[in-house]
Amino acid sequence: MCSAQTNLQRASRRCGFGSQVPCTGPPPWTCRDPGELVARYAALFVARGGTLARGDAMTLQQKDIGWRVMSEDGVVSAENAVVALGPWSPTLARTFGYHIPMVFKRGYHRHFSGQDGPRVSMLDVDNSTLVAPMNAGWRVLTGAHLTPPGTAPASRQIRHATDTARELFALRDPVEATPWSGTRPCMPDMLPVVGPTRHKGLFFHFGHGHQGFTLGPTTAFLLAELMTMGRANPLTRPLLPSARGWA
């Protein structure tokens, strides 16, 4: 029996599972490299005729019958504009008079080398620690750190998560010099903000919290349907800015 399984059984007994390791069932659908997947989406977008432009979203202005923003290659103009800046969305929205009560949850993770690790993602609820197999190594993730954007990273949670993971698995050296950290854009009701604003041609699409990677494409489809066909899917009604007094 490998050391990882022995340690997992020890943890299972501690968590009330007796001497048996809980059955996980069939492997779930997962993504072992989210960044690579998004990069391939972007490449596919360009291959199908799309254009990617890098610029400063804070330069967004309403102009004539549409919107314009400055990019590195000059002005980009369009009839419609969608604010989809994650945790930075309220900052831009405020310049147009919208006050969005977003809750900011920072998360930390770090990859580790090693031979022994879980075959599927494993959550230690008591210690707010998740260990997941990724292409870069074994990813150790923390719980949420409630702090505004721009504050200095705190190491307490990732250090605790690393110690917890090493009780279960023989993790070796960290892959990155420092842990990664990022802010999740959460709303008080845990529903994303999707739909038109009181400014003609300005739409919101943000606030997906912990589910942006999977829920974002779904709400983007619903928003595109609304923008191009002029009809709102009933699923979008609770998500509308106007339904929550933010439009």
Side-chain angles (χ1 to χ4, degrees):
M1 182 179 294
C2 69
S3 60
Q5 185 175 0
T6 302
N7 291 338
L8 188 56
Q9 287 180 329
R10 187 181 304 118
S12 300
R13 289 194 295 270
R14 183 181 64 194
C15 296
F17 292 115
S19 60
Q20 300 298 318
V21 177
C23 178
T24 59
W29 281 60
T30 61
C31 179
R32 295 175 67 101
D33 193 337
E36 175 67 16
L37 178 60
V38 173
R40 294 193 182 198
Y41 281 154
L44 180 62
F45 173 72
V46 172
R48 291 182 174 180
T51 301
L52 296 178
R54 186 184 299 272
D56 183 359
M58 293 302 295
T59 64
L60 181 68
Q61 293 180 335
Q62 192 171 22
K63 191 71 173 178
D64 300 327
I65 60 172
W67 296 84
R68 56 180 291 174
V69 66
M70 288 300 300
S71 76
E72 294 176 350
D73 299 320
V75 176
V76 176
S77 301
E79 179 181 354
N80 301 310
V82 179
V83 178
L85 299 174
W88 298 278
S89 298
T91 302
L92 178 57
R94 194 176 302 118
T95 65
F96 297 100
Y98 301 97
H99 298 280
I100 310 297
M102 184 175 285
V103 179
F104 303 101
K105 295 184 179 182
R106 180 181 293 170
Y108 302 86
H109 76 238
R110 200 174 195 179
H111 296 97
F112 293 84
S113 60
Q115 297 299 318
D116 293 332
R119 295 181 180 178
V120 297
S121 299
M122 191 209 75
L123 174 64
D124 185 336
V125 177
D126 292 341
N127 288 288
S128 300
T129 298
L130 190 141
V131 185
M134 308 294 286
N135 287 346
W138 308 109
R139 179 180 289 187
V140 177
L141 304 95
T142 70
H145 177 199
L146 298 176
T147 186
T151 56
S155 61
R156 181 177 61 86
Q157 287 191 352
I158 189 64
R159 286 190 285 106
H160 175 74
T162 300
D163 292 342
T164 298
R166 280 181 163 151
E167 289 183 8
L168 303 175
F169 305 107
L171 301 182
R172 295 181 181 174
D173 296 332
V175 175
E176 300 90 359
T178 58
W180 175 92
S181 67
T183 300
R184 302 180 181 97
C186 300
M187 304 309 300
D189 56 6
M190 295 304 290
L191 293 175
V193 185
V194 181
T197 70
R198 62 177 176 269
H199 286 76
K200 180 177 175 58
L202 183 65
F203 297 81
F204 286 166
H205 186 258
F206 54 78
H208 295 74
H210 301 256
Q211 289 81 41
F213 188 63
T214 51
L215 183 58
T218 301
T219 54
F221 177 85
L222 296 174
L223 179 60
E225 187 178 63
L226 171 64
M227 295 173 65
T228 58
M229 300 182 183
R231 65 171 185 266
N233 189 298
L235 292 174
T236 65
R237 290 173 185 169
L239 313 181
L240 295 172
S242 58
R244 291 132 100 182
W246 301 331

